Amino acid sequence: MSKRETYEAKTEEILLPIAERCGVEIYDVEYVKEGSDFYLRAYIDKEDGVNINDCEAVSRELSDALDREDFIPDAYILEVSSPGLGRTLKKDRHLEKSIGLEVEIKLFKAIDKCKEFAGVLESFDAETITISEDEKPRTFNRSEIALIRLALDF
């Protein structure tokens, strides 16, 4: 397991009881370097959506717990937020909750001169993701997908 994966897994373990106490669920945790700064981001969600008070409550508890555990030697910025409307679908549980919803897929390499596709998420398995574009199914290998997220429909 990489350093990043270790930090994310340990943070999620610490966050789980905090999220339960605060009435939210963990959507994702990520540890990333942007420019010269490291960020530890916790994305939380709940049925009717999270608000600033949810984020503040989780952030305060998580910050205190991370200070006690002190397992990340690098300086980092902690952020707690909603995954947003156009949330990235990284994990199988995200895909499962999104079956039947409109998604956008961006590929690493173009297929038929196109790198972006949109359609209703129909199904997925360990190797593939299938969407329907204009009632026609289209299947992509997961290894070809750079990003899959919920489509924003305004």
Side-chain angles (χ1 to χ4, degrees):
M1 198 182 296
S2 71
K3 176 173 80 168
R4 176 188 58 81
E5 292 169 324
T6 301
Y7 293 168
E8 290 171 353
K10 178 72 173 166
T11 300
E12 194 161 337
E13 180 183 309
I14 292 168
L15 179 56
L16 186 59
I18 295 168
E20 288 174 357
R21 274 195 304 280
C22 293
V24 299
E25 65 182 45
I26 301 168
Y27 186 80
D28 199 13
V29 173
E30 66 180 10
Y31 182 77
V32 295
K33 185 172 185 180
E34 294 178 2
S36 60
D37 295 321
F38 287 98
Y39 289 85
L40 179 60
R41 294 190 175 113
Y43 298 99
I44 58 172
D45 203 7
K46 66 181 180 183
E47 189 71 31
D48 54 346
V50 296
N51 59 42
I52 191 74
N53 296 327
D54 297 319
C55 293
E56 180 183 7
V58 170
S59 180
R60 286 181 191 275
E61 281 198 53
L62 180 57
S63 179
D64 290 346
L66 290 168
D67 286 347
R68 281 191 304 275
E69 295 289 327
D70 198 25
F71 64 93
I72 301 175
D74 307 308
Y76 61 89
I77 298 164
L78 175 64
E79 294 180 350
V80 176
S81 70
S82 159
L85 295 175
R87 59 191 61 193
T88 302
L89 308 175
K90 293 182 181 177
K91 301 178 180 184
D92 284 353
R93 67 179 183 202
H94 302 154
L95 293 167
E96 187 65 43
K97 283 186 166 186
S98 302
I99 296 285
L101 299 177
E102 183 87 14
V103 297
E104 297 172 346
I105 292 178
K106 292 185 181 184
L107 303 177
F108 290 112
K109 294 182 182 178
I111 296 176
D112 300 328
K113 299 182 182 179
C114 190
K115 287 178 82 173
E116 297 183 18
F117 299 85
V120 174
L121 179 60
E122 296 295 333
S123 64
F124 68 94
D125 60 31
E127 304 294 322
T128 63
I129 292 178
T130 302
I131 63 171
S132 63
E133 297 178 293
D134 301 321
E135 307 291 322
K136 294 185 292 190
R138 181 169 204 142
T139 301
F140 300 92
N141 289 323
R142 281 185 161 196
S143 61
E144 300 172 323
I145 298 174
L147 174 76
I148 181 169
R149 67 177 173 212
L150 290 181
L152 295 175
D153 189 19
F154 292 100

